[in-house]
């Protein structure tokens, strides 16, 4: 029961942060960016292979320093998407850490069939912040050293998958915003995949 109350409070807090962000009452700075890259499946954690990009933001709100980590994923080969957000307030007396994972939010929602993902705070934060972040120096600088694949031993099936090829193309062309759109819009992702075959 106590955990349910805490989870509810965290959802309310994240929702308030999302609302303030959408209304431009919080000015987030994009401090770091991990460019579009391929992560092989992890047998230990049962994590499937995916393409992802990650952003780290910081802001001051009501005198407190907040950090926001945001990661967008497209699983390979399923094409399923996911989004994770971690909000941290690093203050000894008022420490706060909230994790929100889209797939978990949808799995625990009682009306998940009808749930509009655009109403979820993590999605609202991503849709507001990523289009602004892609114009920053942090993103431009990260693409200067970006390498799409940094692992060895990846299966040929995964390497030859069209989603993997799309991720590599978007990385090499520095198209962080297109990857972001592909995460939340299947039709957009399908158009990008069709471009590969032209």
């Amino acid at each position: 029961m106590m955990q349910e109350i805490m989870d509810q409070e965290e959802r309310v807090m994240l929702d308030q942060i999302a609302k303030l962000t959408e209304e431009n009452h919080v000015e987030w700075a994009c401090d770091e960016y991990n460019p579009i890259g391929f992560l092989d499946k992890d047998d230990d954690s049962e994590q499937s292979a995916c393409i992802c990009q990650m952003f780290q933001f910081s802001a001051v709100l009501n005198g407190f320093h907040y950090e926001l980590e945001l990661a967008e994923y497209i699983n390979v080969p399923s094409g399923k998407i996911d989004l994770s957000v971690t909000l941290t307030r690093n203050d000894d007396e008022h420490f706060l850490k909230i994790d929100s994972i889209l797939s978990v939010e949808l799995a625990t929602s009682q009306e998940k069939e009808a749930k509009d993902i655009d109403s979820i705070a993590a999605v609202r934060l991503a849709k507001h912040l990523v289009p602004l972040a892609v114009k920053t120096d942090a993103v431009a600088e990260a693409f200067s050293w970006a390498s799409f694949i940094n692992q060895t031993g990846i299966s040929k099936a995964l390497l030859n998958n069209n989603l993997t090829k799309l991720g590599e193309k978007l990385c090499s062309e520095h198209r962080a915003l297109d990857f972001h759109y592909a995460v939340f819009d299947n039709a957009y992702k399908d158009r990008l995949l069709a471009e590969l075959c032209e």
Side-chain angles (χ1 to χ4, degrees), residues 3-60:
Q3 187 60 47
E4 287 179 17
I5 293 170
M6 290 174 65
D7 289 347
Q8 180 62 29
E9 287 178 354
E10 288 183 355
R11 277 195 291 275
V12 169
M13 175 70 173
L14 200 58
D15 195 65
Q16 288 174 340
I17 295 285
K19 186 173 189 294
L20 290 169
T21 299
E22 289 171 322
E23 294 172 352
N24 297 315
H25 294 308
V26 186
E27 190 172 330
W28 293 97
C30 181
D31 300 321
E32 289 183 40
Y33 172 65
N34 285 350
I36 304 162
F38 181 89
L39 296 176
D40 200 2
K41 63 180 184 284
D42 185 341
D43 293 329
D44 293 334
S45 66
E46 298 181 8
Q47 175 69 41
S48 62
C50 65
I51 309 157
C52 69
Q53 67 177 354
M54 299 176 217
F55 300 84
Q56 186 166 314
F57 301 91
S58 62
V60 175

Side-chain angles (χ1 to χ4, degrees), residues 98-112:
I98 301 172
D99 292 307
S100 178
I101 301 172
L102 180 60
S103 57
V104 174
E105 294 271 347
L106 293 175
T108 56
S109 171
Q110 293 184 350
E111 65 273 348
K112 68 177 183 180

Side-chain angles (χ1 to χ4, degrees), residues 99-178:
D99 292 307
S100 178
I101 301 172
L102 180 60
S103 57
V104 174
E105 294 271 347
L106 293 175
T108 56
S109 171
Q110 293 184 350
E111 65 273 348
K112 68 177 183 180
E113 295 300 323
K115 182 102 174 160
D116 176 9
I117 71 164
D118 286 341
S119 68
I120 295 172
V123 174
R124 290 161 53 205
L125 284 164
K127 288 194 170 186
H128 186 85
L129 291 175
V130 172
L132 300 174
V134 297
K135 301 172 186 172
T136 64
D137 290 342
V139 171
E141 288 168 13
F143 273 122
S144 70
W145 52 259
S147 177
F148 179 67
I149 295 178
N150 294 297
Q151 297 169 285
T152 57
I154 301 167
S155 73
K156 285 186 178 180
L158 288 175
L159 289 173
N160 292 326
N161 186 280
N162 278 347
L163 286 169
T164 305
K165 291 179 179 178
L166 175 61
E168 190 164 23
K169 176 181 171 69
L170 296 180
C171 178
S172 68
E173 296 176 0
H174 305 180
R175 292 166 65 181
L177 190 58
D178 279 327

